[in-house]
């Protein structure tokens, strides 16, 4: 969710005060503001996190590191907006992969 306010006032002719002034205030969700395509983009880190779950044996640890690196790149790409919110996931992914017993 985010809040917004917009105000506009056309140039008034001399002697006219506030002619055509408009003001709007409200809030919108990310889905309302950006459309349904944002759901796919926000689901990508979840799908990338599932890579180690889908792999077995030695490949599971490799998939864990690949997943961690991809999540880290996503955090760096989106650090100015929503990317920072995925940072705890990257850290936990790295810790979990490092501590895994599968070799």
């Amino acid at each position: 969710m985010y809040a917004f306010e917009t105000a506009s006032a056309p140039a008034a002719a001399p002697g006219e005060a506030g002619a055509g002034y408009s003001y709007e205030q409200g809030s919108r969700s990310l889905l309302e503001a950006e459309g349904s395509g944002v759901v796919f983009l926000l689901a990508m880190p979840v799908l990338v996190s599932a890579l180690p779950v889908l792999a077995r044996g030695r490949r599971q640890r490799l998939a864990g590191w690949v997943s961690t690196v991809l999540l880290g790149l996503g955090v760096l790409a989106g650090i100015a907006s929503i990317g920072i919110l995925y940072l705890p996931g990257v850290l936990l992914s790295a810790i979990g992969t490092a501590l895994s017993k599968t070799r």
Side-chain angles (χ1 to χ4, degrees), residues 49-73:
S49 297
L51 288 176
V53 175
L54 300 174
R56 295 286 175 239
R58 296 176 129 180
R59 291 189 177 131
Q60 190 171 25
R61 188 169 178 140
L62 175 63
W65 286 118
V66 168
S67 172
T68 301
V69 168
L70 290 175
L71 287 173
L73 291 173

Side-chain angles (χ1 to χ4, degrees), residues 1-2 4 26-36 38:
M1 294 293 288
Y2 72 93
F4 67 91
S27 63
R28 291 186 186 147
S29 70
L30 186 63
L31 190 60
E32 289 172 336
E34 301 297 329
S36 61
V38 76

Side-chain angles (χ1 to χ4, degrees), residues 52 61 64-65 68 89-102:
R61 188 169 178 140
W65 286 118
T68 301
V90 174
L91 296 175
L92 290 174
S93 178
I95 291 168
T97 302
L99 295 178
S100 71
K101 301 287 184 201
T102 308

Side-chain angles (χ1 to χ4, degrees), residues 6-50:
T6 57
S8 64
E16 294 180 20
Y21 175 80
S22 69
Y23 176 77
E24 184 181 4
Q25 175 181 340
S27 63
R28 291 186 186 147
S29 70
L30 186 63
L31 190 60
E32 289 172 336
E34 301 297 329
S36 61
V38 76
V39 173
F40 176 73
L41 290 174
L42 294 176
M44 288 306 296
V46 176
L47 297 175
V48 169
S49 297

Side-chain angles (χ1 to χ4, degrees), residues 67-91:
S67 172
T68 301
V69 168
L70 290 175
L71 287 173
L73 291 173
V75 166
L76 288 175
I79 197 110
S81 61
I82 200 167
I84 195 73
L85 298 175
Y86 290 102
L87 187 58
V90 174
L91 296 175

